[in-house]
Amino acid sequence: MTKQRSPYKVFIVEDHFAMRQAYIDLIARENDLKVCGVAITAQEALEQIPQCHPDIVLIDVSLDGMSGIELTQQLKNQYPELPALIISGHEEAFYARKAIQAGARGYVVKRRVRLLTQAINDVLQGEIYVVP
Amino acid sequence: MNQDSKKNDTEVNQRNLPSTLNAHLAEKQEGERRSLAQTLHDEIGQNVTAIGFNLDFIQSQFDSSDPNINFVRKRLENALTLVEETTDQIRQLVSELRPPMMDEYGLIEAIDWYANNLSQQTGIKIDVQPIYFAPRLPSWVENTLFRITQEALINIIHHAKTDRASIIIEANATHVKLSIVDNGVGFEQQKQPRLTETFGLRTMIERAKSAQGVCSIESQLNQGTQVTVEVPR
């Protein structure tokens, strides 16, 4: 009998309540994913991530204080193996480019949030996922 | 601290603030645009996106084979279409108010983005030759240069009858220079242009002055127009 892998742990950084809830709902529908922590600022995320040991971090691009792009860069430096997926209200290709340059493995616009779990799974498989 | 360095500090501080009433008013308007764009994008836009997500979720919970709820499904589809349209309208409005990347990434990225957008909307090929320089100009000077560039590009679209334009950005130790050039129909500088054109040209010159810079407009009939603005760093 094959032992089933425990779900991948997802950490969410998002300051908008309803969007945060949307990500949690989408992830809850997937057996192989679970939310291990939630932060509403980059600073909170940096404090909580070491306790949570996530497999992937979802980051809103527009955060108060340190931006999502800056947080991505910082996480890339601190945890080079931890993939970041940017979720953004900006549909300009400019932001997708900046996110990938900062080290993100994916970029999903909020309008296409229903594709989020597909994006998470692709990034966890080592692919780059961009939906601008 | 000697007298010279005190003077330099004062100059730097003054440079960080608009120096004329017109410039103050322009910067106040820029602040209002910034705030409005931010509210639209960060709050209203995200609320609409979240409403769309919730409607989408509700729709996915209905049994598609049940004919009794077809009318509800139809209403939901209409609501989702409205959400998509509203999202597009908000996005367009935010872009028109102020380039979203202006504050974080600065003038050059904003000009590049604006020119690309305008190219896509109008079919006019706008070539941007950017130079990145540090430190960035004070925010209000960046705003001023962006609005001059915007005005010059809008003039090209309305009057130049051309399919090509270019923006050249140069920087040396003391100045930043922007040239917006087209190869369109141009105009005879001796002849009085129409009132609206005069107003647009005067606005650019006034804006440049407010940033302690200069703006020149050179044009010849059938040989295009070049707007050059130069400001101290």
Side-chain angles (χ1 to χ4, degrees), chain A residues 12 19-29 35 38 116:
Chain A
I12 297 170
M19 291 311 302
R20 205 161 56 232
Q21 199 53 49
Y23 312 153
I24 292 170
D25 289 349
L26 282 166
I27 290 165
R29 290 188 222 168
V35 175
V38 173
L116 182 64

Side-chain angles (χ1 to χ4, degrees), chain A residues 16 29 95 110-111 114, chain B residues 46-47 56-57 84 88 100:
Chain A
H16 191 276
R29 290 188 222 168
Y95 282 95
K110 289 188 177 178
R111 198 205 293 234
R114 67 183 74 88
Chain B
Q46 297 215 73
N47 286 350
D56 203 35
F57 178 77
E84 280 288 308
D88 283 337

Side-chain angles (χ1 to χ4, degrees), chain A residues 14-16 18-19 21-23 25-26 29 60-62 64 67 69-70 88-92 94-95 97-98 110-114, chain B residues 38 41-43 46-47 49-50 52-54 56-57 60-61 80 83-85 87-88 91 95 100-102 104-105 109 112-113 117:
Chain A
E14 167 66 76
D15 57 4
H16 191 276
M19 291 311 302
Q21 199 53 49
Y23 312 153
D25 289 349
L26 282 166
R29 290 188 222 168
D60 176 23
V61 77
S62 306
D64 267 350
S67 76
I69 302 277
E70 288 169 302
S88 173
H90 292 293
E91 300 189 13
E92 293 83 9
F94 171 87
Y95 282 95
R97 221 171 30 242
K98 287 285 174 196
K110 289 188 177 178
R111 198 205 293 234
R112 301 281 169 256
V113 70
R114 67 183 74 88
Chain B
Q38 202 168 355
H41 181 269
D42 293 352
E43 293 170 33
Q46 297 215 73
N47 286 350
T49 304
F53 171 78
N54 286 331
D56 203 35
F57 178 77
S60 73
Q61 300 304 300
L80 279 164
V83 164
E84 280 288 308
E85 287 173 6
T87 305
D88 283 337
R91 186 175 167 233
S95 299
M101 66 289 296
M102 185 78 161
E104 198 173 350
Y105 295 101
E109 299 283 17
D112 196 31
W113 168 82
N117 253 14

